[in-house]
Amino acid sequence: MANDCDMKSLMTLSSKSEGSTAPAARLRWRNAPLHERCTMTDMVKLKDAFQTAYRNVLLPNDFRNLLRTLLNVEYDDEEFQILFMKINTNRNGEIDWDELVSHLLLGYFANDPENQRESLQPPIMGLPTVMRSQHRHPISRICFCPDVSKDRSTDPMQGTYITASRDGMINWWSLDMSLLRTAYSSSPHLKVRTTWVTDMVCMPDVNIIVTSSTERDLRFYDCTAKTFTLKIIITSWEYMICTMYYQFHKDANEKCILICGDVGGNVRVLLFSPVKRGPFRNQAGRALIQLRHVDLQRKPQLLPEMRLVELQRVHSEWVRQVSFYASLHCVVSCATCADSLLMCDLAGSKTHNMFRVDKGIQCFAFDEETHVLVTGGPDCVVRVWNPFVTTRPAVALAGHHAAITALILQNAGQTIYSLSRDRVIKVWDVQGQLCVQSYIDIPSQIGERTPISAVYNKATRELILAAVKIAVLVLDEQLNPQHTDGFTHSRAVAKILYNPLFKVVITCGMDSIIINWDPVTGKRNVMVRDAHTRLLHGELIPVEITAACFDPGWQLLVTGARNGTLKVWNFNTGVCLRNMAIEHMCEVTSVFWVEGRILAVGWNRHVTEFEDTGTASTGKSWETRHSDDVLAAAARWPLSLATASYNSELLLWKLETGQPYRRFSCTDPMLRIKMHYKKRDATRAASPTATTAHRTSAPRLSMQSTSARLSLPEAGEAMRKARARRVSTGVALPTRAQAMRQLAVHAMIFLETRPFSMQDASLMLALENGQVQGWSDHPAGGLQGAFQGVHTVGDYVSAFATDTNNRFLFTGTTVGYIKVWLMTNYLMQEQVHVNMSELRLQFPFLWRDRIEGRAKRSVRDQPLPMLLNSYRAHLRCITTMAYIEHLKLVLSGSSDYSVRVWRLSGEYLQTMGSFVPWTLETTRFPPDVKKVASFTTFKVWRSGWVSRYVPGQVEVDKLRDITDLELRNKTYGAPAPDPMLGRYFALPARPDRHDKIMLDDSLQTVPLYAHLRMASTQPVRRPPTPELVRHTRLRQLPAKKTHFDTAGPPTRANE
C-alpha cells in the first residue's frame, strides 16, 4: 500500500486545488490504479459507504461517483468499465465489499516485488550428475584451486578441483570433472602404518597444498610444474588440526593467512609474505624443512618467514569450520558448543564478537558486501545474523530434519542453499522468509553415512558434493545475455491469447502455468501454477496445457490439458470456476466457447459439448466421424466447425445442430467422399479392411466406438491412403511413397469476415508438406486453392494468426520463421485495389534486394497471396501466435520456452518475462537467432537498412577539395560571414565606473584599508592557449641557444 503520509498530502493538494490548478490535479489522479490510491482511512470510508448502501452493494454509477468524491479519482468510460468488470467477479452488474477487498488484495500482491521475482521453475532442476571418485576411501575434502595470474588476480573459470581422501590420496580434476593426475600425502616418519588425512587446503598463489592428519602435523607440498614435493612439515601440534582455510591478498605486500582449527577448540593462524614464495622458495641444501609446533613458538628464527598467532581455547568443542572476514579483518570460527561462533581480529582485542546458540553451529557462510552471516547446526535451523549484532538472529528458518552441514549464498545473501545430513537441500528466500524448494534427489550412493564435503563455483553455479562418489548440481542456472533474453515459461509455450476487453495477454505453457501479462509494461499481473494436475502415487503431478480460448464476452478462460480435463478460469483473479473432462488421459487439442456451449475435441476423435452455465463435469458427445486423432480444429460462429485428423481427414460440422455436412481428404482434395447418415448404409459401403487397426500406438477402442468406426464411409482409395504411416518430412521420400503418404493437418484458422460462399475460401489449413490450403465451408464449396507457406526443406506451418479484418495472415513454421501474407484478393470473388506504396512503407521486406533471398525466390511463381514479410524469429518450432491490432504487435510462442514481441514490420522488441528492461520503443536483435540469421532477416530487423559495401570498392574521399594549407589552419573555403560568433553570443558588459578615491586626512593616520579597493582572493584562472596560437608562437620564437653558443667577440681559440 502506498505511504499514508504521502497519500494524505497528495489528496489535500488535489482537494484544495481550484481554478487553474484543478485540471492538473485531476489529471494526476486520472485512471490511477485503485490499490495505489487507497489509504486505511479511505478503506474505512469505503466500507461505511457499502454498509449504508441498499443491500450493501453498489451499481456502476454509484461506485464511480463514490470514487470521484471520496478518492478524487476519475476514470475514462472504457477504463472504468474494465475496472468494474475486474471487481465484479460474480458478473451480476453490482459489486459488494468483499469483491472490492479481493480486488485490492490482488493489486497489492501484483505490486509486491517478490511476486514479480517469483521464478517459474525451482532453482535446482533435474537429477545430479554422479561419477566415480577414483578414491579407495571416502573423500574428506574437496576444494577449488584457481589459477593465479601475475597481478595475483583469479578467474573462477580457470583452475582445477582437488579432492583428498582419508588415506592421503589426492586427485586433480578439470572444470568438467575429468581426472588429471593423482598424488599421495603420507608421513615421512611412518614406513608401515599410514594416517588419516583430516583436511586439505590449497594455496594457489605459492603453488602449495597443505594437508593435516591424525599425526598432529601439517604437511606443505610444492605443486610447481605438476610436482608433489614435501617442502615443510610441522609436527607435534598440541591437538589434531581438523579444519583449515587460506586467504591471500591481491597486493603482494600483504601477509598471507593460513587459519587452522583443532579438536581442542584452538584457532591458530600462520602468517607469511608471498614475495618470492616466502618460506617455500627453493634454497640450495634445504630440500625439506622439519620443525615442531614449539619451535614456531619459542624459536621463530628456525623459520623466520612464517609467524604463528594463537587464539587459545576459544571454543570448548572441536572447531568445525574456520574462515576469514576480509572486509572486517576478522577470523571466524565455529563449533558445536554454547560458544558457537567467534568473530575476532588477529590480536583478539579490537573485535571480539561471540554468537551463542544452544546446540552450537556446525557451518556458516557470509556475504561481505551486504554483511549477511548465515549459520546452521545440529538444531536443524538456518539462522541469518547481522555480524554486528550478536544477541539474536535476524531470521530463523526451520524445516530441516537433520543437522545442517553446508551453506551456500546467492544473490548477495538473499538466497540460501542449506545441505543437511539426510542429503536434502533446501532453498530459502531470505526476503520472503520461506522455503522455495526442498530437493531430495541426491542419491544415497553419494554417501549415506559418510560426511559430505561440498564446494561451490560462483561462475558456473555448480555445487559439487563429494564423499563415496561425486555429484554435480547446478544451482539456479544463470542465463547468459549473450545467448538468450530469458524465458516466458519453463516449458514449451502452448497458447497465446490476446483479450481486447481487458487489454491483457494470456500465455499457457506445457509447464501447466497460466500467466496474465500487461503487453504495454511487460508486467506479470497474475500467475496460476499447476493449473491442471493428476494424482500419481499419491503426488499431484502437473499436466501440460494443450488448448485454451476465451468466452464470447472475453471475461472467462477455458483451458484443456493432455489428460483430457478442462477448466474454466477467471484469469484476472486466477480462480478456477469449473472442472470438466472429455475422456481420461485423452489429450484435448482444441477448445471453443460459442454462445451457450463449450466444444472440445481431441484424441477421442469426436466433439464433446458442454453447457457453459451448468456445473456438470461431463458433456454430450457428437457423432464419431473421424477414424484417427483430431489434431486441429477451427470454429466460425454461428455457421461452421471444421476438424482435421492425423490421417488428413477434414470434416465440416453445423454448429447449430452438430451434424457433419461435408467430408474431404486434404491429401487428395478432389476425391469425393459421400456422407452417410444411417448405420445401415454406412455398413454396406464399408470395405472388408475397415476393422483393421490404424496405428499400434492408438488406444484400444470400446465396442461402441468400434461399431461407430464401422459405420464410417471408407472408400477404397481414401482408406488405403489413410492407413499409410506418417513419415518425417526431414527424410527425402521416393515419388511413389510421397504420393501414397497421408499428410496430417497441424494448424487451421477461419477468416471470419469473408462471405459464406462456395467461391470464397474462408478456411485456411496447413499440411505437413508445407502447403497452406484454402477451403470454402459452404456445402457446395471445397478446395479453392493452395500456396506454399515455407521456403526450407522439411518445414511446414505450425501456427496461424490474423487481424480483425483478415487482411493479413501470420504463419509460424517449425523451423522458427514468421511470414506475413496479404490475403486481399486471394481466393475471393470481390477484388479490391492494393496500395503497394503503403505496403512498402510498412514492410521493408518488400524493398528491392541486390540478391534475393530464399524467401523471395520461393514465391517468384506465386503472385497470390503476396508475401509481405519473412524473418527468423526462433530457433525452434513456433507453436502459437497472436496479433494485437491497436499496438500493431505480433506475439510468437515457441517450444524454446519464450514468447517474443515483434512489430508488424518485423523488428524485434522484447521477450515476455525477460530480465532485460521492458520497452516497446527500442528495437534489438534476438541474441540466439542473430548468430544464424540470414541477410534477409537482418534486413527486416534493421527496418530495411542494408550495407551497400562491395568488396574492392574504393571509398570516395569527401575532403579531396581541401588544400593542405586549409587543413593545417582549419580554414575551409571562404571566411565565415559576420558576425562570426552568430546571434547566440554577446560580449560581456563593461565594468562599472569607479569613483575617485578621496583620502580622509583629518586624522593623524590615514586608514588605507578603508579606501583602497581589494582584489578578489580567488585565483584567476588563465584560459588555455588555443592550439593554433600555440603552434604559431612556437614557430615565431628564435631557436634557444645553449650555454656554449653565447654571443660575443670571437676568441683566439675560436679563430
Side-chain angles (χ1 to χ4, degrees):
M1 183 177 292
N3 194 333
D4 293 351
C5 299
D6 299 341
M7 193 63 64
K8 291 178 182 178
S9 61
L10 289 175
M11 291 186 65
T12 304
L13 175 64
S14 61
S15 61
K16 291 182 179 180
S17 299
E18 298 293 341
S20 61
T21 60
R26 292 194 192 98
L27 288 177
R28 188 175 185 181
W29 295 88
R30 196 170 190 86
N31 299 331
L34 191 58
H35 59 276
E36 295 181 0
R37 299 295 179 248
C38 283
T39 63
M40 294 303 297
T41 306
D42 299 331
M43 295 287 290
V44 174
K45 294 180 180 179
L46 286 173
K47 185 176 182 181
D48 294 339
F50 274 96
Q51 291 177 350
T52 56
Y54 176 67
R55 294 190 299 113
N56 297 333
V57 295
L58 292 178
L59 297 176
N61 291 333
D62 299 334
F63 182 65
R64 188 171 187 176
N65 294 331
L66 180 64
L67 296 180
R68 186 184 296 114
T69 57
L70 184 60
L71 301 182
N72 195 20
V73 180
E74 182 65 35
Y75 288 93
D76 298 336
D77 294 339
E78 184 180 4
E79 293 293 334
F80 179 77
Q81 182 184 5
I82 294 175
L83 174 65
F84 188 84
M85 286 188 296
K86 285 184 178 179
I87 300 176
N88 184 24
T89 55
N90 293 328
R91 297 190 296 168
N92 55 3
E94 55 189 21
I95 59 176
D96 55 15
W97 172 248
D98 294 336
E99 290 177 335
L100 178 61
V101 172
S102 300
H103 175 76
L104 293 176
L105 289 176
L106 288 174
Y108 298 142
F109 180 74
N111 276 7
D112 189 3
E114 183 179 343
N115 175 42
Q116 296 297 324
R117 193 177 62 249
E118 185 180 3
S119 176
L120 297 176
Q121 60 186 11
I124 308 177
M125 294 289 295
L127 298 175
T129 303
V130 181
M131 61 189 70
R132 295 181 59 185
S133 66
Q134 306 294 336
H135 287 270
R136 290 174 289 182
H137 290 265
I139 295 174
S140 58
R141 179 65 63 190
I142 179 172
C143 63
F144 178 68
C145 182
D147 295 340
V148 181
S149 58
K150 293 182 179 180
D151 59 350
R152 297 179 63 82
S153 61
T154 60
D155 185 3
M157 293 301 296
Q158 295 181 358
T160 56
Y161 293 103
I162 305 177
T163 57
S165 57
R166 298 175 179 176
D167 59 346
M169 185 178 181
I170 299 177
N171 287 339
W172 280 260
W173 306 80
S174 63
L175 290 179
D176 56 355
M177 297 308 295
S178 300
L179 184 62
L180 300 178
R181 64 189 184 106
T182 302
Y184 290 90
S185 172
S186 59
S187 175
H189 305 292
L190 299 176
K191 301 300 182 182
V192 178
R193 185 170 55 89
T194 59
T195 58
W196 276 15
V197 172
T198 59
D199 199 6
M200 174 201 64
V201 70
C202 63
M203 303 161 66
D205 58 330
V206 290
N207 290 327
I208 295 294
I209 287 182
V210 188
T211 60
S212 62
S213 68
T214 54
E215 289 296 317
R216 296 180 296 140
D217 60 358
L218 278 181
R219 307 166 194 164
F220 296 84
Y221 291 91
D222 189 356
C223 301
T224 306
K226 294 185 179 182
T227 59
F228 196 73
T229 306
L230 185 61
K231 295 287 293 185
I232 301 176
I233 179 170
I234 305 176
T235 60
S236 303
W237 292 88
E238 185 179 0
Y239 293 98
M240 178 188 69
I241 295 176
C242 54
T243 180
M244 293 183 292
Y245 181 80
Y246 179 71
Q247 173 78 18
F248 70 96
H249 297 271
K250 193 173 182 179
D251 186 6
N253 296 323
E254 295 286 340
K255 298 285 187 179
C256 297
I257 303 172
L258 177 64
I259 308 172
C260 307
D262 58 25
V263 298
N266 306 304
V267 177
R268 311 177 193 275
V269 182
L270 294 174
L271 304 173
F272 64 91
S273 174
V275 179
K276 297 182 179 180
R277 301 186 67 199
F280 309 106
R281 69 171 64 95
N282 295 323
Q283 299 180 9
R286 297 184 63 183
L288 175 62
I289 301 176
Q290 302 186 35
L291 67 161
R292 298 179 300 168
H293 169 224
V294 294
D295 296 337
L296 284 178
Q297 293 176 323
R298 303 175 184 178
K299 301 178 182 179
Q301 66 274 9
L302 293 179
L303 194 61
E305 298 91 346
M306 187 174 292
R307 183 168 66 93
L308 175 64
V309 177
E310 296 186 343
L311 303 176
Q312 299 285 345
R313 304 290 181 179
V314 295
H315 302 285
S316 58
E317 283 287 342
W318 286 23
V319 179
R320 299 292 182 175
Q321 183 181 347
V322 292
S323 186
F324 187 75
Y325 208 123
S327 59
L328 300 180
H329 302 282
C330 290
V331 175
V332 187
S333 63
C334 70
T336 53
C337 59
D339 297 335
S340 306
L341 187 140
L342 174 66
M343 182 182 297
C344 67
D345 59 349
L346 294 179
S349 57
K350 296 181 181 180
T351 304
H352 192 282
N353 298 333
M354 181 65 75
F355 300 81
R356 291 178 172 82
V357 178
D358 291 339
K359 294 186 178 181
I361 296 174
Q362 187 160 353
C363 59
F364 63 86
F366 52 82
D367 187 272
E368 297 189 17
E369 295 182 359
T370 57
H371 292 293
V372 174
L373 175 65
V374 183
T375 62
D379 58 355
C380 311
V381 178
V382 177
R383 292 178 174 85
V384 182
W385 304 78
N386 184 339
F388 308 102
V389 179
T390 63
T391 55
R392 55 178 297 178
V395 178
L397 306 172
H400 277 285
H401 300 285
I404 301 171
T405 58
L407 293 167
I408 291 102
L409 302 184
Q410 277 186 357
N411 304 327
Q414 295 301 312
T415 304
I416 302 174
Y417 296 83
S418 56
L419 171 67
S420 58
R421 287 189 182 276
D422 55 357
R423 305 181 311 281
V424 174
I425 298 178
K426 286 186 177 291
V427 186
W428 307 90
D429 183 8
V430 177
Q431 189 172 355
Q433 299 186 18
L434 52 87
C435 179
V436 178
Q437 181 187 7
S438 294
Y439 186 80
I440 59 174
D441 292 332
I442 300 177
S444 59
Q445 55 185 338
I446 299 298
E448 191 169 2
R449 294 179 177 84
T450 306
I452 298 178
S453 178
V455 64
Y456 175 67
N457 192 324
K458 294 182 179 180
T460 60
R461 295 207 166 198
E462 290 180 345
L463 175 65
I464 303 179
L465 309 176
V468 178
K469 288 189 176 182
I470 298 177
V472 182
L473 274 172
V474 179
L475 306 183
D476 192 12
E477 185 176 1
Q478 191 74 13
L479 299 179
N480 190 346
Q482 300 295 329
H483 298 161
T484 180
D485 276 348
F487 304 113
T488 309
H489 286 265
S490 58
R491 292 292 182 270
V493 181
K495 198 70 176 178
I496 302 176
L497 299 172
Y498 175 70
N499 191 295
L501 179 61
F502 294 100
K503 294 182 174 57
V504 296
V505 173
I506 306 297
T507 62
C508 307
M510 294 291 185
D511 50 3
S512 193
I513 293 178
I514 303 172
I515 306 179
N516 183 330
W517 302 89
D518 185 349
V520 177
T521 63
K523 185 179 178 181
R524 189 168 60 194
N525 299 327
V526 179
M527 182 172 65
V528 180
R529 290 180 176 273
D530 299 335
H532 291 262
T533 57
R534 67 186 181 97
L535 191 64
L536 180 64
H537 304 306
E539 183 181 0
L540 287 177
I541 305 298
V543 180
E544 300 92 334
I545 299 175
T546 54
C549 74
F550 291 116
D551 70 317
W554 304 98
Q555 298 188 40
L556 297 177
L557 174 72
V558 58
T559 58
R562 182 154 289 175
N563 61 345
T565 59
L566 294 100
K567 291 187 178 183
V568 179
W569 304 87
N570 184 338
F571 53 87
N572 287 314
T573 61
V575 177
C576 179
L577 305 178
R578 185 180 176 188
N579 290 280
M580 300 171 288
I582 58 172
E583 190 175 327
H584 179 63
M585 298 306 295
C586 179
E587 179 178 330
V588 179
T589 55
S590 298
V591 61
F592 307 98
W593 195 325
V594 296
E595 293 293 339
R597 293 177 293 171
I598 299 176
L599 306 178
V601 63
W603 287 1
N604 56 356
R605 306 181 182 185
H606 59 258
V607 180
T608 306
E609 177 183 330
F610 301 88
E611 294 183 2
D612 63 347
T613 57
T615 59
S617 60
T618 58
K620 179 181 66 175
S621 298
W622 289 8
E623 184 181 358
T624 303
R625 287 283 182 168
H626 282 285
S627 59
D628 212 331
D629 301 340
V630 179
L631 297 185
R636 182 186 188 184
W637 173 258
L639 299 174
S640 309
L641 172 69
T643 57
S645 64
Y646 185 85
N647 60 354
S648 195
E649 288 177 336
L650 173 63
L651 280 173
L652 298 178
W653 309 73
K654 290 185 179 295
L655 274 179
E656 292 185 357
T657 62
Q659 293 293 327
Y661 63 91
R662 287 305 301 268
R663 182 183 181 189
F664 301 97
S665 173
C666 297
T667 305
D668 192 358
M670 297 295 107
L671 178 66
R672 182 175 179 83
I673 304 177
K674 185 178 180 181
M675 295 292 299
H676 294 274
Y677 297 99
K678 295 182 180 179
K679 293 185 178 180
R680 181 178 55 187
D681 298 339
T683 306
R684 292 177 185 174
S687 62
T689 59
T691 57
T692 57
H694 298 284
R695 287 184 294 155
T696 57
S697 61
R700 189 181 300 275
L701 300 177
S702 60
M703 294 299 296
Q704 180 180 358
S705 61
T706 305
S707 62
R709 192 196 312 170
L710 289 173
S711 65
L712 299 178
E714 295 173 308
E717 181 71 17
M719 289 301 101
R720 204 176 316 118
K721 295 180 180 180
R723 287 193 298 270
R725 295 177 60 88
R726 187 175 117 189
V727 184
S728 173
T729 56
V731 181
L733 296 178
T735 306
R736 290 178 117 184
Q738 188 73 23
M740 295 175 60
R741 183 166 157 266
Q742 292 297 305
L743 300 173
V745 179
H746 288 275
M748 188 183 300
I749 191 172
F750 266 111
L751 305 181
E752 299 183 2
T753 59
R754 294 198 171 187
F756 186 66
S757 170
M758 60 181 296
Q759 299 296 334
D760 293 325
S762 58
L763 175 64
M764 298 292 164
L765 54 86
L767 298 180
E768 262 185 325
N769 60 355
Q771 276 191 350
V772 177
Q773 294 181 347
W775 294 77
S776 171
D777 58 337
H778 192 273
L783 179 67
Q784 302 299 317
F787 65 92
Q788 195 70 18
V790 296
H791 62 267
T792 56
V793 178
D795 192 13
Y796 59 87
V797 176
S798 56
F800 279 127
T802 184
D803 59 333
T804 306
N805 299 324
N806 301 140
R807 185 187 181 195
F808 303 124
L809 179 66
F810 305 93
T811 60
T813 69
T814 57
V815 178
Y817 279 93
I818 291 179
K819 292 179 179 289
V820 184
W821 306 86
L822 180 65
M823 302 306 292
T824 306
N825 301 334
Y826 178 67
L827 302 181
M828 291 184 64
Q829 290 180 330
E830 181 183 0
Q831 301 294 312
V832 297
H833 174 70
V834 176
N835 190 344
M836 288 302 302
S837 301
E838 178 188 359
L839 293 177
R840 289 191 182 96
L841 291 176
Q842 198 169 8
F843 297 98
F845 173 81
L846 298 176
W847 298 358
R848 181 175 299 177
D849 294 318
R850 182 169 297 174
I851 300 176
E852 289 186 346
R854 289 182 299 173
K856 286 189 176 181
R857 295 198 304 267
S858 64
V859 295
R860 283 176 179 173
D861 302 329
Q862 185 174 292
L864 292 178
M866 183 184 300
L867 180 61
L868 300 178
N869 213 349
S870 177
Y871 54 92
R872 187 78 175 268
H874 298 268
L875 293 182
R876 290 188 177 183
C877 173
I878 296 178
T879 56
T880 178
M881 296 184 68
Y883 178 63
I884 305 177
E885 189 148 8
H886 71 283
L887 297 177
K888 292 187 177 180
L889 298 179
V890 180
L891 307 180
S892 62
S894 171
S895 56
D896 61 0
Y897 313 164
S898 65
V899 174
R900 290 179 173 169
V901 184
W902 310 83
R903 287 181 180 171
L904 179 61
S905 54
E907 294 95 334
Y908 170 66
L909 294 175
Q910 281 291 341
T911 296
M912 285 190 168
S914 171
F915 50 82
V916 180
W918 184 269
T919 176
L920 296 180
E921 303 298 330
T922 306
T923 60
R924 305 168 46 246
F925 293 164
D928 53 346
V929 184
K930 73 177 183 180
K931 301 177 181 179
V932 296
S934 63
F935 74 91
T936 304
T937 299
F938 275 110
K939 171 189 172 183
V940 174
W941 288 350
R942 293 189 176 115
S943 303
W945 181 89
V946 293
S947 177
R948 298 300 180 184
Y949 174 75
V950 178
Q953 178 183 0
V954 179
E955 186 177 359
V956 178
D957 186 9
K958 298 180 180 180
L959 303 178
R960 61 185 182 276
D961 57 339
I962 300 177
T963 63
D964 295 339
L965 179 62
E966 292 175 339
L967 190 62
R968 184 167 58 253
N969 298 333
K970 296 185 178 180
T971 56
Y972 307 124
D978 292 331
M980 295 183 60
L981 299 180
R983 303 294 181 184
Y984 308 97
F985 180 82
L987 294 175
R990 291 180 177 274
D992 297 336
R993 182 175 177 275
H994 297 289
D995 298 332
K996 186 177 180 180
I997 299 176
M998 301 297 294
L999 298 179
D1000 184 7
D1001 56 354
S1002 62
L1003 301 177
Q1004 296 180 356
T1005 59
V1006 178
L1008 295 179
Y1009 60 87
H1011 300 278
L1012 296 182
R1013 299 187 186 92
M1014 305 299 294
S1016 175
T1017 57
Q1018 297 295 331
V1020 179
R1021 294 188 177 181
R1022 177 184 175 185
T1025 304
E1027 191 72 19
L1028 185 59
V1029 176
R1030 190 173 65 86
H1031 284 299
T1032 305
R1033 288 180 179 177
L1034 291 177
R1035 287 197 304 268
Q1036 293 178 355
L1037 287 177
K1040 187 177 179 181
K1041 297 182 179 181
T1042 62
H1043 177 71
F1044 302 99
D1045 296 337
T1046 305
T1051 59
R1052 188 177 300 274
N1054 292 335
E1055 295 176 357

